[in-house]
Amino acid sequence: MTQTGGCQCGAVRFSAERLGAASICHCRMCQKATGGFFGPYVDAHGFAWTRGRPKHFQSSEHVRRGFCEACGTPLSFESK
């Protein structure tokens, strides 16, 4: 079952053919990025941006985070 989503303003949309493993991170960067006690994440397989593209912030040497340039919605957590 294809999953779809996007940012709050609709400028950036995505789809994923299936979801994989879920995890949470309690590191300080994830707390800052989400405004909470942890960052929830899930692997996406068959992923594609279907409208627009996110801007990226390199939050550490290992991770870059995607977000909507127009509304600021966090969209991706991409590890190397």
Side-chain angles (χ1 to χ4, degrees):
M1 182 170 136
T2 300
Q3 302 289 317
T4 62
C7 67
Q8 291 180 9
C9 73
V12 180
R13 299 285 301 163
F14 61 83
S15 68
E17 292 176 8
R18 67 182 176 86
L19 301 179
S23 63
I24 59 173
C25 182
H26 293 88
C27 81
R28 191 66 185 131
M29 272 320 272
C30 287
Q31 291 174 349
K32 288 179 180 182
T34 63
F37 295 115
F38 58 87
Y41 303 104
V42 64
D43 292 337
H45 303 280
F47 183 88
W49 298 108
T50 58
R51 180 185 312 144
R53 292 277 188 262
K55 294 295 180 181
H56 288 93
F57 171 68
Q58 191 78 37
S59 62
S60 75
E61 67 180 73
H62 303 288
V63 173
R64 73 179 193 155
R65 298 168 189 272
F67 63 95
C68 175
E69 182 178 33
C71 67
T73 301
L75 294 167
S76 66
F77 176 97
E78 303 166 32
S79 60
K80 293 182 180 182

mmCIF file of all heavy atoms in Angstrom, residues 51-77:
data_model
loop_
_atom_site.group_PDB
_atom_site.id
_atom_site.type_symbol
_atom_site.label_atom_id
_atom_site.label_comp_id
_atom_site.label_asym_id
_atom_site.label_seq_id
_atom_site.Cartn_x
_atom_site.Cartn_y
_atom_site.Cartn_z
ATOM 1 N N ARG A 51 6.095 16.279 -5.528
ATOM 2 C CA ARG A 51 5.899 17.711 -5.811
ATOM 3 C C ARG A 51 6.948 18.496 -5.043
ATOM 4 O O ARG A 51 7.112 18.329 -3.833
ATOM 5 C CB ARG A 51 4.520 18.182 -5.374
ATOM 6 C CG ARG A 51 4.321 19.675 -5.684
ATOM 7 C CD ARG A 51 3.005 20.266 -5.176
ATOM 8 N NE ARG A 51 1.872 19.444 -5.514
ATOM 9 C CZ ARG A 51 0.812 19.279 -4.715
ATOM 10 N NH1 ARG A 51 0.754 19.873 -3.540
ATOM 11 N NH2 ARG A 51 -0.186 18.515 -5.076
ATOM 12 N N GLY A 52 7.666 19.342 -5.734
ATOM 13 C CA GLY A 52 8.695 20.161 -5.088
ATOM 14 C C GLY A 52 9.829 19.312 -4.545
ATOM 15 O O GLY A 52 9.869 18.094 -4.717
ATOM 16 N N ARG A 53 10.739 19.975 -3.888
ATOM 17 C CA ARG A 53 11.890 19.321 -3.260
ATOM 18 C C ARG A 53 12.174 20.046 -1.953
ATOM 19 O O ARG A 53 12.050 21.263 -1.868
ATOM 20 C CB ARG A 53 13.138 19.429 -4.141
ATOM 21 C CG ARG A 53 13.081 18.650 -5.427
ATOM 22 C CD ARG A 53 13.465 17.201 -5.167
ATOM 23 N NE ARG A 53 13.596 16.447 -6.406
ATOM 24 C CZ ARG A 53 12.640 15.665 -6.889
ATOM 25 N NH1 ARG A 53 11.489 15.586 -6.285
ATOM 26 N NH2 ARG A 53 12.826 14.978 -7.988
ATOM 27 N N PRO A 54 12.603 19.320 -0.926
ATOM 28 C CA PRO A 54 12.938 19.984 0.325
ATOM 29 C C PRO A 54 14.283 20.699 0.241
ATOM 30 O O PRO A 54 15.122 20.366 -0.594
ATOM 31 C CB PRO A 54 13.010 18.834 1.328
ATOM 32 C CG PRO A 54 13.419 17.662 0.510
ATOM 33 C CD PRO A 54 12.775 17.867 -0.841
ATOM 34 N N LYS A 55 14.456 21.678 1.086
ATOM 35 C CA LYS A 55 15.768 22.256 1.340
ATOM 36 C C LYS A 55 16.404 21.385 2.415
ATOM 37 O O LYS A 55 15.709 20.662 3.131
ATOM 38 C CB LYS A 55 15.658 23.706 1.830
ATOM 39 C CG LYS A 55 15.111 24.646 0.793
ATOM 40 C CD LYS A 55 16.069 24.750 -0.360
ATOM 41 C CE LYS A 55 15.518 25.691 -1.420
ATOM 42 N NZ LYS A 55 16.403 25.811 -2.564
ATOM 43 N N HIS A 56 17.717 21.448 2.548
ATOM 44 C CA HIS A 56 18.392 20.592 3.520
ATOM 45 C C HIS A 56 19.272 21.388 4.476
ATOM 46 O O HIS A 56 19.832 22.409 4.111
ATOM 47 C CB HIS A 56 19.244 19.540 2.794
ATOM 48 C CG HIS A 56 18.423 18.499 2.132
ATOM 49 N ND1 HIS A 56 18.031 18.605 0.816
ATOM 50 C CD2 HIS A 56 17.895 17.349 2.595
ATOM 51 C CE1 HIS A 56 17.301 17.551 0.495
ATOM 52 N NE2 HIS A 56 17.213 16.772 1.558
ATOM 53 N N PHE A 57 19.362 20.863 5.696
ATOM 54 C CA PHE A 57 20.239 21.391 6.731
ATOM 55 C C PHE A 57 21.132 20.250 7.190
ATOM 56 O O PHE A 57 20.633 19.187 7.596
ATOM 57 C CB PHE A 57 19.408 21.928 7.894
ATOM 58 C CG PHE A 57 20.231 22.299 9.103
ATOM 59 C CD1 PHE A 57 21.107 23.368 9.057
ATOM 60 C CD2 PHE A 57 20.128 21.574 10.279
ATOM 61 C CE1 PHE A 57 21.880 23.708 10.166
ATOM 62 C CE2 PHE A 57 20.891 21.910 11.393
ATOM 63 C CZ PHE A 57 21.767 22.975 11.330
ATOM 64 N N GLN A 58 22.443 20.431 7.108
ATOM 65 C CA GLN A 58 23.397 19.421 7.566
ATOM 66 C C GLN A 58 23.535 19.574 9.074
ATOM 67 O O GLN A 58 24.281 20.413 9.564
ATOM 68 C CB GLN A 58 24.743 19.621 6.859
ATOM 69 C CG GLN A 58 25.714 18.499 7.042
ATOM 70 C CD GLN A 58 25.408 17.300 6.157
ATOM 71 O OE1 GLN A 58 24.993 17.454 5.021
ATOM 72 N NE2 GLN A 58 25.613 16.126 6.696
ATOM 73 N N SER A 59 22.793 18.766 9.843
ATOM 74 C CA SER A 59 22.771 18.934 11.299
ATOM 75 C C SER A 59 23.960 18.289 11.998
ATOM 76 O O SER A 59 24.222 18.584 13.159
ATOM 77 C CB SER A 59 21.467 18.392 11.880
ATOM 78 O OG SER A 59 21.334 17.010 11.632
ATOM 79 N N SER A 60 24.660 17.400 11.318
ATOM 80 C CA SER A 60 25.891 16.809 11.845
ATOM 81 C C SER A 60 26.676 16.260 10.661
ATOM 82 O O SER A 60 26.208 16.304 9.529
ATOM 83 C CB SER A 60 25.592 15.688 12.850
ATOM 84 O OG SER A 60 25.160 14.522 12.181
ATOM 85 N N GLU A 61 27.856 15.704 10.932
ATOM 86 C CA GLU A 61 28.626 15.145 9.820
ATOM 87 C C GLU A 61 27.980 13.884 9.262
ATOM 88 O O GLU A 61 28.305 13.449 8.162
ATOM 89 C CB GLU A 61 30.068 14.874 10.241
ATOM 90 C CG GLU A 61 30.217 13.775 11.273
ATOM 91 C CD GLU A 61 31.667 13.543 11.654
ATOM 92 O OE1 GLU A 61 32.220 14.395 12.369
ATOM 93 O OE2 GLU A 61 32.233 12.512 11.227
ATOM 94 N N HIS A 62 27.017 13.314 9.984
ATOM 95 C CA HIS A 62 26.393 12.064 9.561
ATOM 96 C C HIS A 62 24.958 12.224 9.050
ATOM 97 O O HIS A 62 24.432 11.298 8.437
ATOM 98 C CB HIS A 62 26.380 11.064 10.715
ATOM 99 C CG HIS A 62 27.736 10.771 11.258
ATOM 100 N ND1 HIS A 62 28.672 10.021 10.569
ATOM 101 C CD2 HIS A 62 28.331 11.143 12.410
ATOM 102 C CE1 HIS A 62 29.773 9.939 11.276
ATOM 103 N NE2 HIS A 62 29.600 10.616 12.401
ATOM 104 N N VAL A 63 24.319 13.348 9.331
ATOM 105 C CA VAL A 63 22.889 13.487 9.032
ATOM 106 C C VAL A 63 22.575 14.827 8.387
ATOM 107 O O VAL A 63 23.110 15.865 8.781
ATOM 108 C CB VAL A 63 22.061 13.361 10.338
ATOM 109 C CG1 VAL A 63 20.598 13.665 10.099
ATOM 110 C CG2 VAL A 63 22.225 11.981 10.942
ATOM 111 N N ARG A 64 21.676 14.778 7.396
ATOM 112 C CA ARG A 64 21.098 16.010 6.877
ATOM 113 C C ARG A 64 19.587 15.872 6.989
ATOM 114 O O ARG A 64 19.028 14.781 6.841
ATOM 115 C CB ARG A 64 21.557 16.317 5.460
ATOM 116 C CG ARG A 64 20.999 15.471 4.385
ATOM 117 C CD ARG A 64 21.526 15.904 3.026
ATOM 118 N NE ARG A 64 20.747 15.275 1.978
ATOM 119 C CZ ARG A 64 20.602 15.756 0.775
ATOM 120 N NH1 ARG A 64 21.198 16.878 0.432
ATOM 121 N NH2 ARG A 64 19.873 15.131 -0.123
ATOM 122 N N ARG A 65 18.934 16.980 7.268
ATOM 123 C CA ARG A 65 17.492 17.004 7.499
ATOM 124 C C ARG A 65 16.816 17.846 6.427
ATOM 125 O O ARG A 65 17.248 18.950 6.145
ATOM 126 C CB ARG A 65 17.193 17.594 8.884
ATOM 127 C CG ARG A 65 17.785 16.764 10.005
ATOM 128 C CD ARG A 65 17.724 17.509 11.334
ATOM 129 N NE ARG A 65 18.478 16.812 12.355
ATOM 130 C CZ ARG A 65 17.995 15.867 13.143
ATOM 131 N NH1 ARG A 65 16.740 15.504 13.024
ATOM 132 N NH2 ARG A 65 18.747 15.283 14.039
ATOM 133 N N GLY A 66 15.765 17.288 5.835
ATOM 134 C CA GLY A 66 15.010 17.995 4.817
ATOM 135 C C GLY A 66 13.824 18.712 5.425
ATOM 136 O O GLY A 66 13.201 18.212 6.366
ATOM 137 N N PHE A 67 13.506 19.880 4.889
ATOM 138 C CA PHE A 67 12.375 20.662 5.388
ATOM 139 C C PHE A 67 11.793 21.486 4.249
ATOM 140 O O PHE A 67 12.459 21.751 3.248
ATOM 141 C CB PHE A 67 12.808 21.574 6.542
ATOM 142 C CG PHE A 67 13.832 22.602 6.133
ATOM 143 C CD1 PHE A 67 13.448 23.879 5.761
ATOM 144 C CD2 PHE A 67 15.178 22.286 6.101
ATOM 145 C CE1 PHE A 67 14.388 24.824 5.367
ATOM 146 C CE2 PHE A 67 16.129 23.217 5.718
ATOM 147 C CZ PHE A 67 15.734 24.487 5.344
ATOM 148 N N CYS A 68 10.544 21.911 4.394
ATOM 149 C CA CYS A 68 9.921 22.764 3.392
ATOM 150 C C CYS A 68 10.427 24.189 3.566
ATOM 151 O O CYS A 68 10.355 24.757 4.657
ATOM 152 C CB CYS A 68 8.403 22.731 3.533
ATOM 153 S SG CYS A 68 7.553 23.874 2.416
ATOM 154 N N GLU A 69 10.915 24.750 2.481
ATOM 155 C CA GLU A 69 11.432 26.120 2.515
ATOM 156 C C GLU A 69 10.313 27.131 2.773
ATOM 157 O O GLU A 69 10.535 28.166 3.396
ATOM 158 C CB GLU A 69 12.109 26.434 1.183
ATOM 159 C CG GLU A 69 12.713 27.811 1.119
ATOM 160 C CD GLU A 69 13.418 28.056 -0.201
ATOM 161 O OE1 GLU A 69 12.989 27.528 -1.232
ATOM 162 O OE2 GLU A 69 14.427 28.785 -0.172
ATOM 163 N N ALA A 70 9.095 26.826 2.339
ATOM 164 C CA ALA A 70 7.977 27.774 2.481
ATOM 165 C C ALA A 70 7.366 27.792 3.874
ATOM 166 O O ALA A 70 7.117 28.860 4.433
ATOM 167 C CB ALA A 70 6.898 27.454 1.449
ATOM 168 N N CYS A 71 7.112 26.598 4.459
ATOM 169 C CA CYS A 71 6.405 26.574 5.750
ATOM 170 C C CYS A 71 7.232 26.027 6.906
ATOM 171 O O CYS A 71 6.818 26.103 8.055
ATOM 172 C CB CYS A 71 5.097 25.789 5.622
ATOM 173 S SG CYS A 71 5.307 24.014 5.325
ATOM 174 N N GLY A 72 8.405 25.429 6.613
ATOM 175 C CA GLY A 72 9.292 24.942 7.670
ATOM 176 C C GLY A 72 9.019 23.540 8.172
ATOM 177 O O GLY A 72 9.696 23.070 9.081
ATOM 178 N N THR A 73 8.046 22.848 7.598
ATOM 179 C CA THR A 73 7.728 21.494 8.057
ATOM 180 C C THR A 73 8.935 20.569 7.893
ATOM 181 O O THR A 73 9.503 20.478 6.814
ATOM 182 C CB THR A 73 6.563 20.904 7.231
ATOM 183 O OG1 THR A 73 5.419 21.747 7.361
ATOM 184 C CG2 THR A 73 6.212 19.498 7.683
ATOM 185 N N PRO A 74 9.344 19.850 8.967
ATOM 186 C CA PRO A 74 10.408 18.851 8.830
ATOM 187 C C PRO A 74 9.907 17.698 7.953
ATOM 188 O O PRO A 74 8.784 17.224 8.117
ATOM 189 C CB PRO A 74 10.628 18.360 10.260
ATOM 190 C CG PRO A 74 9.990 19.370 11.150
ATOM 191 C CD PRO A 74 8.891 19.989 10.342
ATOM 192 N N LEU A 75 10.739 17.248 7.004
ATOM 193 C CA LEU A 75 10.294 16.229 6.056
ATOM 194 C C LEU A 75 11.179 14.988 5.993
ATOM 195 O O LEU A 75 10.676 13.910 5.672
ATOM 196 C CB LEU A 75 10.210 16.826 4.651
ATOM 197 C CG LEU A 75 9.143 17.894 4.460
ATOM 198 C CD1 LEU A 75 9.368 18.638 3.151
ATOM 199 C CD2 LEU A 75 7.771 17.263 4.492
ATOM 200 N N SER A 76 12.467 15.107 6.243
ATOM 201 C CA SER A 76 13.316 13.927 6.104
ATOM 202 C C SER A 76 14.492 13.965 7.054
ATOM 203 O O SER A 76 14.920 15.016 7.514
ATOM 204 C CB SER A 76 13.827 13.792 4.661
ATOM 205 O OG SER A 76 14.694 14.851 4.329
ATOM 206 N N PHE A 77 14.992 12.780 7.336
ATOM 207 C CA PHE A 77 16.187 12.542 8.149
ATOM 208 C C PHE A 77 17.027 11.586 7.326
ATOM 209 O O PHE A 77 16.663 10.423 7.158
ATOM 210 C CB PHE A 77 15.778 11.906 9.482
ATOM 211 C CG PHE A 77 16.940 11.537 10.370
ATOM 212 C CD1 PHE A 77 17.347 12.397 11.371
ATOM 213 C CD2 PHE A 77 17.585 10.318 10.233
ATOM 214 C CE1 PHE A 77 18.393 12.040 12.214
ATOM 215 C CE2 PHE A 77 18.628 9.953 11.080
ATOM 216 C CZ PHE A 77 19.021 10.822 12.066
#
